[in-house]
């Protein structure tokens, strides 16, 4: 199956305010509802699972019920770190041939084209990421805050989501990661890259509109895009 995993466990501390950012309403619906709707309506997605903060599960259940989403089959409690939410989803499924698409709940503008390209790429690759070409020059600085390196821009990408895997691959990567006392990776592609370096991670072309809501001004941009 092609299973979308909506990672909705964040607190939204950088946005400010007391409401998790995925539960903020924009253009008549919560950000989470907008995101679920994209995957729920995609013809190649078989199932959707939402991983939420435990204290927000009742509200997520109401969002799913109110949105009349037909493919949401699981609402799972996450954990303190992002990888805890990924693990919750991994543990909820057992077929190693399932394709899992991990997506930030606060990227509601992901397009059907991106999702389709990811699913097609998983026919030939065990791990797939989404990214856009970097348009700015990137500086790597040293500990003193001075420029240490200027990597070639044509080799750099800005990472987005979804990040997609055959379950057997991401499961093996996490098993190795959890056995490592120095495990500090912050995203799922990073886990595969670090612990299964021989597994190529194919990159699907993203879109500038596939923004992640992080700061308050992102809400204004999102509202404009939704309209």
């Amino acid at each position: 199956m092609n299973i979308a995993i909506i990672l909705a466990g964040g607190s939204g501390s950088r946005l400010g305010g007391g409401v998790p950012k995925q539960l903020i309403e924009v253009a008549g619906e919560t950000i989470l509802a907008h995101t679920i709707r994209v995957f729920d309506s995609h013809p190649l997605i078989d199932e959707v699972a939402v991983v939420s903060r435990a204290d927000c599960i009742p509200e997520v259940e109401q969002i799913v019920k109110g949105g009349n989403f037909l493919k949401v089959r699981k609402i799972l409690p996450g954990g303190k770190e992002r990888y805890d939410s990924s693990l919750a989803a991994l543990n909820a499924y057992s077929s190693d041939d399932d394709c899992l698409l991990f997506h930030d709940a606060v990227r509601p503008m992901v397009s059907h084209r991106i999702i389709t390209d990811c699913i097609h790429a998983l026919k030939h690759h065990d791990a797939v990421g989404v990214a856009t070409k970097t348009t700015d020059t990137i500086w790597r600085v040293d500990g003193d805050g001075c420029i240490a390196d200027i990597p070639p821009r044509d080799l750099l990408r800005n990472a987005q989501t979804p990040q997609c895997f055959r379950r057997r691959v991401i499961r093996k990567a996490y098993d190795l990661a959890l056995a490592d006392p120095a495990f500090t990776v912050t995203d799922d592609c990073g886990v595969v890259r670090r612990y299964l370096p021989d597994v190529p991670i194919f990159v699907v072309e993203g879109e500038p509109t596939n923004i992640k809501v992080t700061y308050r001004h992102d809400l204004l941009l999102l509202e404009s895009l939704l309209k």
Side-chain angles (χ1 to χ4, degrees):
M1 293 198 302
N2 298 317
I3 303 167
I5 309 296
I6 311 299
L7 301 173
S11 63
S13 57
R14 285 177 288 183
L15 191 66
V19 179
K21 56 189 176 181
Q22 61 271 19
L23 301 181
I24 294 174
E25 286 198 9
V26 180
E29 280 192 314
T30 62
I31 294 173
L32 175 59
H34 287 297
T35 303
I36 294 173
R37 193 173 305 283
V38 180
F39 288 91
D40 194 75
S41 63
H42 194 287
L44 297 181
I45 293 295
D46 300 300
E47 184 170 322
V48 177
V50 181
V51 187
S52 168
R53 282 172 37 174
D55 61 329
C56 292
I57 285 180
E59 190 165 355
V60 172
E61 290 174 341
Q62 288 301 312
I63 289 170
V64 171
K65 182 178 179 181
N68 194 30
F69 299 122
L70 301 178
K71 296 180 182 179
V72 178
R73 307 290 166 75
K74 293 180 175 63
I75 299 174
L76 307 166
K80 181 180 179 182
E81 304 294 339
R82 177 195 166 92
Y83 68 82
D84 290 321
S85 295
S86 296
L87 283 170
L90 275 175
N91 293 331
Y93 294 96
S94 58
S95 174
D96 281 345
D97 289 327
D98 282 342
C99 295
L100 305 182
L101 290 77
F102 295 87
H103 187 70
D104 297 325
V106 290
R107 287 189 189 269
M109 296 304 299
V110 61
S111 69
H112 274 205
R113 193 276 302 166
I114 289 176
I115 297 169
T116 299
D117 285 357
C118 286
I119 291 172
H120 287 168
L122 282 169
K123 296 177 181 179
H124 307 285
H125 305 275
D126 288 332
V128 175
V130 176
T132 57
K133 293 181 180 179
T134 300
T135 57
D136 295 325
T137 297
I138 302 298
W139 293 346
R140 185 175 65 83
V141 300
D142 59 22
D144 297 320
C146 298
I147 295 175
D149 186 29
I150 305 177
R153 192 168 59 187
D154 59 334
L155 299 179
L156 299 177
R157 298 292 185 272
N158 295 320
Q160 299 182 342
T161 62
Q163 296 183 358
C164 318
F165 312 90
R166 293 283 178 178
R167 183 188 176 277
R168 64 177 177 271
V169 171
I170 190 67
R171 176 77 266 178
K172 182 178 180 181
Y174 266 110
D175 286 344
L176 294 170
L178 293 173
D180 179 5
F183 173 46
T184 58
V185 178
T186 58
D187 74 336
D188 300 303
C189 280
V191 176
V192 172
R193 175 65 181 161
R194 179 170 178 177
Y195 294 98
L196 296 176
D198 292 334
V199 174
I201 304 173
F202 182 76
V203 179
V204 162
E205 185 67 28
E207 296 169 3
T209 51
N210 185 20
I211 64 168
K212 182 178 181 181
V213 176
T214 304
Y215 300 105
R216 188 153 296 277
H217 65 263
D218 295 327
L219 293 173
L220 299 175
L221 177 57
L222 175 58
E223 185 170 20
S224 177
L225 290 170
L226 287 169
K227 287 181 177 179

